[in-house]
Amino acid sequence: QGHLVESGGGSVQAGGSLNLSCTTSGYTSKPNCMGWFRQGPGKEREGVASLYTTTGKTDYADSVKGRFTISQNNAKNTVHLQMNSLRPEDTAMYYCATVQLTGGDNCLPFVSRVHYYGQGTQVTVSS
């Protein structure tokens, strides 16, 4: 059973940036679909971004397009979420996850397709 560990969360002011990291370990083969998800106070968990690790194809929630970037570092077995122009509404616990493909060959940040979550890292954005 693989393991995911997130890091990089913290508190920033609106307009600031954070870079979240997700370190994968224990997988016999690299997960082919990874995603970032978040759950804000009093809100349901939602998908933020996904990365098809074999092709590099990415997908983003409309609320973060143009501000967040998901990427991978194959040498370090990490997946990152660069978050710029942060807003108070981005405040949430952020989770890295392995995701099952949708429709056979689509890597999408769907909560219903998550296979396994990490423990999460808190992001707080103040106005």
Side-chain angles (χ1 to χ4, degrees):
Q1 174 66 43
H3 196 49
L4 305 174
V5 177
E6 301 94 332
S7 61
S11 298
V12 296
Q13 290 191 327
S17 298
L18 285 172
N19 190 312
L20 305 184
S21 296
C22 172
T23 301
T24 66
S25 63
Y27 289 93
T28 54
S29 61
K30 185 176 183 179
N32 59 6
C33 181
M34 299 289 297
W36 284 95
F37 298 77
R38 67 185 182 185
Q39 187 164 14
K43 299 180 181 179
E44 293 187 353
R45 193 167 297 189
E46 62 177 352
V48 174
S50 59
L51 170 67
Y52 200 158
T53 59
T54 53
T55 66
K57 185 177 184 298
T58 58
D59 199 87
Y60 297 92
D62 288 342
S63 59
V64 306
K65 281 181 181 176
R67 301 189 298 123
F68 291 11
T69 303
I70 188 171
S71 63
Q72 61 183 325
N73 184 322
N74 291 325
K76 296 183 178 180
N77 290 326
T78 55
V79 176
H80 298 269
L81 186 68
Q82 175 66 42
M83 306 187 296
N84 299 326
S85 302
L86 283 163
R87 305 167 180 169
E89 54 264 39
D90 295 318
T91 294
M93 184 71 80
Y94 283 72
Y95 300 90
C96 175
T98 56
V99 182
Q100 296 173 327
L101 296 177
T102 299
D105 198 34
N106 294 296
C107 175
L108 299 170
F110 290 168
V111 171
S112 61
R113 302 298 294 171
V114 169
H115 179 255
Y116 179 76
Y117 286 109
Q119 86 289 349
T121 186
Q122 178 68 37
V123 171
T124 302
V125 185
S126 58
S127 58

